[in-house]
């Protein structure tokens, strides 16, 4: 039976880098991306024609990556059915792992619960500092670009209300799902973008390797396959927006600076981390 490796994270937290390393370092695995993104089930477009043909047989639907939005609707309307079809394809191909990511607002909480309770899976929660992630998210939305685009020169102005609404809804999402994952009896792993992934490729990979110990074995690969590219070269998020000093003062006056620079809490068997 295929084991599901589910990455639960919020946008702009290093999910693409995580999946790229899993794709290169994990054998006998099908590594996809945001399967439940409303615009497209990312990762299917890179699969072989044989894989797509098998998925059509197992699901009974037309799997045409060229009709991305219609295909996305199939995945979002019945995620357990489509994941079951994908798992059967993995079994037919002799693959041991099915890897994919889920981000907030892509699926209802109940739908994600159904996945956690239905499949043999491990949940990895990937978090990032709240304020830095939000700034990165605003920039990506304004540019309409999510990878391999330098956003350093873009200096948007953000609001306290927008930041807090995003941060608190993300906090709730992580808390709810990590608690449900433990209720389902799943192994919960936690990755930090700052501590584990925002490193040179080799260092980030070995951090990932340690985090997945006991679940799967990751093998080293040619790390030059991971581009040494940062979309944001400014380390201080307040310097990367147009009203940085105003936001710093506002967060300080509201006693929220520590909150802004911390990561969302994830509930593990040892308590919140």
């Amino acid at each position: 039976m295929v084991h599901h490796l589910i990455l639960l994270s919020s946008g702009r937290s290093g999910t693409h880098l995580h999946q790229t390393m899993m794709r290169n370092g994990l054998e006998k695995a099908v590594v996809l991306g945001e399967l439940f993104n409303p615009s497209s089930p990312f990762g299917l477009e890179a699969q072989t024609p044989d894989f797509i043909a098998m998925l059509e047989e197992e699901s009974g639907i037309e799997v045409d990556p060229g009709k991305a939005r219609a295909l996305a609707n199939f995945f979002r309307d019945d995620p357990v059915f489509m994941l079951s079809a994908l798992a059967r394809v993995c079994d037919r191909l002799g693959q041991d792992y099915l890897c994919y990511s889920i981000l907030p607002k892509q699926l209802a909480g109940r739908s994600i619960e159904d996945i956690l309770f239905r499949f043999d899976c491990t949940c990895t929660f990937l978090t990032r500092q709240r304020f830095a992630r939000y700034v990165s998210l605003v920039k990506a939305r304004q540019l309409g670009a999510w990878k391999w685009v330098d956003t350093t020169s873009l200096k948007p102005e953000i609001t306290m209300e927008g930041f807090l609404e995003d941060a608190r809804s993300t906090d709730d999402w992580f808390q709810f799902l990590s608690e449900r994952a433990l209720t389902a009896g799943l192994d919960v792993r936690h990755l930090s973008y700052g501590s584990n992934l925002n490193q040179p490729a080799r260092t980030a990979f070995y951090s990932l390797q340690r985090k997945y110990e006991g679940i799967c074995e990751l093998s080293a690969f040619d790390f030059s396959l991971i581009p040494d590219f940062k979309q944001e070269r400014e380390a201080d998020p307040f310097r990367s927006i147009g009203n940085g000093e105003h936001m710093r003062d506002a967060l300080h006056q509201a006693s929220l600076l520590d909150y802004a620079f911390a990561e969302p809490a994830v509930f593990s068997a040892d308590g919140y981390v």
Side-chain angles (χ1 to χ4, degrees):
M1 177 184 295
V2 68
H3 186 79
H4 294 236
L5 295 174
I6 307 174
L7 182 66
L8 295 160
S9 185
S10 48
R12 316 308 297 161
S13 298
T15 56
H16 180 72
L17 175 59
H18 177 281
Q19 298 302 79
T20 299
M21 289 192 171
M22 296 296 282
R23 189 173 294 113
N24 284 285
L26 184 59
E27 296 182 357
K28 301 187 75 174
V30 173
V31 181
L32 305 170
E34 298 172 35
L35 273 182
F36 306 103
N37 188 296
S39 65
S40 174
F42 291 120
L44 284 184
E45 75 286 348
Q47 301 307 308
T48 65
D50 285 347
F51 185 98
I52 297 300
M54 289 185 194
L55 184 54
E56 288 185 332
E57 292 175 14
E58 296 294 343
S59 65
I61 66 169
E62 180 187 13
V63 181
D64 183 356
K67 300 177 180 178
R69 194 169 295 276
L71 189 55
N73 290 337
F74 278 114
F75 275 84
R76 287 161 53 82
D77 290 344
D78 199 340
V80 168
F81 174 80
M82 293 304 296
L83 286 172
S84 297
L86 276 170
R88 291 193 296 272
V89 173
C90 290
D91 285 334
R92 288 172 62 175
L93 293 171
Q95 306 286 24
D96 293 333
Y97 302 99
L98 175 61
C99 311
Y100 51 92
S101 53
I102 305 175
L103 275 60
K105 299 181 181 179
Q106 293 184 348
L107 285 179
R110 181 56 186 270
S111 293
I112 302 178
E113 279 190 273
D114 289 343
I115 293 170
L116 301 184
F117 280 86
R118 170 66 174 80
F119 298 107
D120 175 31
C121 54
T122 296
C123 288
T124 299
F125 290 87
L126 171 58
T127 58
R128 183 181 180 183
Q129 283 185 353
R130 295 180 178 94
F131 192 73
R133 189 198 70 82
Y134 182 68
V135 169
S136 180
L137 182 66
V138 170
K139 288 191 172 191
R141 284 174 174 168
Q142 287 193 7
L143 289 176
W146 299 91
K147 57 184 178 182
W148 315 133
V149 175
D150 189 341
T151 65
T152 307
S153 62
L154 183 64
K155 306 288 184 182
E157 295 199 355
I158 65 174
T159 66
M160 176 78 85
E161 294 77 14
F163 163 62
L164 290 179
E165 179 181 0
D166 176 84
R168 287 167 177 162
S169 66
T170 303
D171 287 349
D172 290 344
W173 190 79
F174 276 116
Q175 179 176 336
F176 170 77
L177 288 181
S178 57
E179 289 177 343
R180 298 310 293 156
L182 287 177
T183 300
L186 303 181
D187 192 341
V188 172
R189 305 294 169 103
H190 177 229
L191 281 167
S192 160
Y193 172 79
S195 300
N196 301 121
L197 293 186
N198 191 24
Q199 312 287 342
R202 185 182 301 272
T203 303
F205 172 78
Y206 289 135
S207 182
L208 215 63
Q209 196 177 48
R210 290 190 296 272
K211 285 291 184 178
Y212 280 104
E213 188 174 353
I215 297 297
C216 60
E217 292 187 12
L218 296 172
S219 301
F221 56 91
D222 180 2
F223 295 110
S224 67
L225 295 172
I226 307 295
D228 183 18
F229 180 86
K230 286 186 179 295
Q231 290 189 231
E232 179 62 55
R233 298 192 304 274
E234 175 57 66
D236 182 352
F238 291 115
R239 292 173 58 88
S240 66
I241 59 176
N243 60 335
E245 289 306 312
H246 170 76
M247 281 300 302
R248 189 194 302 271
D249 290 344
L251 288 165
H252 176 71
Q253 291 174 13
S255 300
L256 289 172
L257 265 180
D258 287 344
Y259 174 79
F261 277 89
E263 298 187 7
V266 171
F267 194 74
S268 73
D270 298 320
Y272 277 104
V273 293

